[in-house]
Amino acid sequence: MTRIIAGRAGSLRLEVPKAGTRPTSDRVREAIFSALESWGVVDGARVLDLYAGSGALGLEAASRGAASVTLVEKHPQAAQVASRNAKTVLQAWRGGAAGAAGGSRASGASGASGASGAPTIEVERQAVQTFLDRELARGASERWDVALIDPPYDLDDESLTANLTALVPLLAPEAVVLVERSSRSPEPTLPAGLEPIRNRAYGETVLWWSEPA
């Protein structure tokens, strides 16, 4: 079972795709958000969740006060699950009101705009690199404060580095970047523009933290 740990939607259960994703354990998510909240970067933040799967990481941020969350997931079933989970979290913000407003956009995203202080949550159904390249081409003026990256363990280091390279220009100056990897995977290769903060191991999972240089 996957659930929201804390915040406005705390204890709510989330759907998990039947196959193709690897949900982050409650223990690791709690460690992630303990770190983020100790740095004061969650409340009011713009959060980007790459390889989102069920959306559990980004939606945890939404529950804890992030202003907006973008979930990027290319697999159709997982993206649909993430969209349903987003509505569940927004219902908690709205006191159990009916499902989120918004719908499909030309880009393939489903948008949910919060009410009564609720966050805005968008689900982008496309490959991570495609999404990042599009955002770079758009030249969007707003930048992300938190980037959460939990790729499949079999994603090669070259692809991960390409993701990080495209991400750098999209980050706010005081942003925090998390890469979650298997303890058997190599240390992520950080591109120019990112510098490591620290890393922590939790069983088979290692959290690699970095920030703009």
Side-chain angles (χ1 to χ4, degrees), residues 50 92 96 140 165:
L50 302 176
T165 300

Side-chain angles (χ1 to χ4, degrees), residues 46 135 138-144 169-170:
R46 297 186 74 238
E135 291 299 299
R138 286 178 54 201
S141 59
E142 293 187 306
R143 298 290 184 261
W144 278 287
L170 302 173

Side-chain angles (χ1 to χ4, degrees), residues 90-101:
L90 286 172
Q91 286 171 15
W93 274 95
R94 294 168 176 168

Side-chain angles (χ1 to χ4, degrees), residues 32 34-42 176 197-198 209:
I32 290 169
S34 291
L36 290 171
E37 290 184 332
S38 73
W39 296 329
V41 295
V42 176
V176 175
I197 301 175
R198 71 183 194 189
W209 296 95

Side-chain angles (χ1 to χ4, degrees), residues 48-173:
L48 179 62
D49 184 356
L50 302 176
Y51 302 98
S54 68
L57 283 178
L59 296 176
E60 185 75 37
S63 178
R64 294 180 187 231
S68 67
V69 175
T70 300
L71 309 173
V72 182
E73 174 56 56
K74 73 175 183 179
H75 294 290
Q77 184 198 37
Q80 290 171 4
V81 168
S83 293
R84 291 194 293 271
N85 285 337
K87 292 180 180 180
T88 297
V89 169
L90 286 172
Q91 286 171 15
W93 274 95
R94 294 168 176 168
S104 297
R105 301 193 313 202
S107 64
S110 63
S113 181
S116 303
T120 297
I121 303 173
E122 293 184 343
V123 179
E124 297 276 355
R125 198 182 81 183
Q126 56 186 297
V128 164
Q129 194 64 42
T130 301
F131 170 81
L132 293 171
D133 289 344
R134 187 199 73 187
E135 291 299 299
L136 281 170
R138 286 178 54 201
S141 59
E142 293 187 306
R143 298 290 184 261
W144 278 287
D145 304 299
V146 178
L148 306 170
I149 309 173
D150 182 15
Y153 280 169
D154 60 0
L155 184 78
D156 61 85
D157 194 51
E158 181 178 350
S159 296
L160 178 57
T161 301
N163 293 165
L164 292 169
T165 300
L167 176 65
V168 169
L170 302 173
L171 295 172

